[in-house]
Amino acid sequence: MCSGKLQTALLVASYFVYLLVGAAVFQALERTAEKQEKMAAAQMKEAFLQNFTQLTVAEMEQFMKNLIEAIQNGVYPVGNESQFEESNWDFSNSFFFAGTVVSTIGYGTLHPKTAGGQIFCVFFALFGIPLNIVFLHRVGKMLSLLCTKLGKFLYEKGMRKKIKFLTLLFFLATGILVFLCLPSVFFQITEGWSYSEGIYFAFITLSTIGFGDYVVGKQSDRKYFSYYRVLVAIWILFGLAWIALLFNLLTTVLEDTEKIIVKDLQQIGKVSKDNVGSQQRRCWPVQFIPEEELLPPHAGGDAQKMESLTADSEHTKNEKKVFYNNKTIAITCEN
């Protein structure tokens, strides 16, 4: 027991240290290049505001291309110059980015642009994704132990036939409350989204779909508290473990249901086949009925019964032969 707890503690510590180191490296590699891009975007904006009445069509199109490229690189040339001093690669955002890399969410709104950052991202994901899988598996085991304890409690209370259903219901309701409903209220307050948008973002994120149409901490007109995205990254990591275990439970339920349906269909098919076979044998022509089936089921008894049975059998054979030679078919049908 102590060894298992120690392994869990070491795994959790190693996982978060890996993310912290990755965040620090991404910040060091990308922050300087981002400042240069923001300065270029600010100069482009200033030049446009001074000369926009004199721009040709070709110059306007070039400006639009530069603007789109800047936005794709995470630079939004809006507002005053103080907003350009805020970095997308501060420690909070870098940690959030590292979490989205190892969890394979990949929003696409923030990505490394320097050659060093891109190469480091490859190796960081190469080792980080397996580490993330091991971490989620361990957290999933801890959650499954809670489900097992709940199942034992329900078993002791006499709810033996409904253990799986009640356990799944409790796990589903608790997870929806903790990882979907409550965070959506938090996002509604912090991001200014509607509640439905918060639910949508939470599920799209935890299911690792990651469209990137809604991302936390990206609105330039809102003020976020420090380490806001760090908290969101931690919520994502534990939420991924919950939804992965939930998907496994739902898969198990569907597989069990499929087995029950297949078993019922096979049973129905077997009964139907037996009934059809029995009905066919009841109305077969005499000449196609095996001789042993014409005998009584039990031929035991005294010598007189044996002689009688033998005579009946010989009589039946003769009757079959006569009918056959006269090309007449005798039908025997049971009532």
Side-chain angles (χ1 to χ4, degrees), residues 157-175:
K157 293 297 181 180
M159 303 178 184
R160 300 180 182 180
K161 295 183 179 180
K162 300 180 179 179
I163 289 178
K164 183 177 291 188
F165 173 74
L166 292 176
T167 302
L168 180 61
L169 181 63
F170 175 80
F171 183 78
L172 179 63
T174 305

Side-chain angles (χ1 to χ4, degrees), residues 13-33:
S14 301
Y15 182 72
F16 280 97
V17 168
Y18 189 82
L19 292 180
L20 292 172
V21 171
V25 174
F26 280 121
Q27 182 181 16
L29 293 174
E30 297 294 327
R31 197 164 188 175
T32 302

Side-chain angles (χ1 to χ4, degrees), residues 306-325:
M306 291 295 295
E307 293 176 358
S308 176
L309 291 172
T310 303
D312 291 342
S313 177
E314 291 295 332
H315 176 72
T316 303
K317 291 180 180 179
N318 294 333
E319 181 183 2
K320 287 167 55 181
K321 186 175 181 180
V322 170
F323 285 150
Y324 179 75
N325 291 335

